[in-house]
Amino acid sequence: MSILTWDDLVSKFINFFFPPSKTTYFRNLITNFSQTSQETFSAAWERFKELQRKCPHHGFSIEHQLDTFYNALSFSDQDYLNAAYPKYKEETDMNRLAVNDLDLPHSTLTI
């Protein structure tokens, strides 16, 4: 089978290195992500990003990723974010929060 377009190449690459079972496994890990009881906010963020790096073609929008991460945080870390960003405090939907609006150290922001 020959590769005629860029899309062909991408498809073959993903199917070779990320078979559907592996993709499903990592998508489930991302979707079911949860901060552990002793995990800091930044450690949870790094672990969440690492899951995404293991499945770069997960297909989740940035809004979905932020919503998943926010909802997986402990109540105290959610309160921290709500207090740090009061313009979002009234919103129950974190989908409106853009990564660039966060005023955290740069190392914790990369998705």
Side-chain angles (χ1 to χ4, degrees):
M1 211 177 244
S2 61
I3 299 172
L4 303 175
T5 67
W6 180 255
D7 289 338
D8 290 344
L9 178 63
V10 170
S11 176
K12 290 189 186 314
F13 178 87
I14 288 174
N15 286 330
F16 183 79
F17 289 104
F18 301 99
S21 60
K22 187 175 183 180
T23 298
T24 300
Y25 173 76
F26 282 112
R27 282 179 55 92
N28 286 338
L29 287 178
I30 293 168
T31 300
N32 297 316
F33 178 82
S34 180
Q35 182 181 23
T36 63
S37 61
Q38 298 300 314
E39 191 171 37
T40 64
F41 173 87
S42 59
W45 181 248
E46 289 301 320
R47 190 166 57 85
F48 187 68
K49 290 190 314 182
E50 182 61 28
L51 288 174
Q52 294 174 346
R53 281 191 291 271
K54 290 180 178 180
C55 187
H57 62 290
H58 53 69
F60 298 125
S61 69
I62 194 76
E63 292 85 7
H64 184 266
Q65 294 171 53
L66 288 172
D67 189 54
T68 299
F69 181 73
Y70 177 83
N71 289 325
L73 291 174
S74 66
F75 290 124
S76 61
D77 281 337
Q78 287 180 3
D79 286 344
Y80 162 75
L81 285 176
N82 292 338
Y85 308 101
K87 67 181 180 179
Y88 300 107
K89 192 171 186 176
E90 297 300 317
E91 297 180 15
T92 57
D93 180 30
M94 287 297 290
N95 290 342
R96 294 182 187 95
L97 178 63
V99 172
N100 293 334
D101 289 341
L102 296 176
D103 189 23
L104 298 171
H106 179 63
S107 64
T108 62
L109 295 179
T110 323
I111 291 183

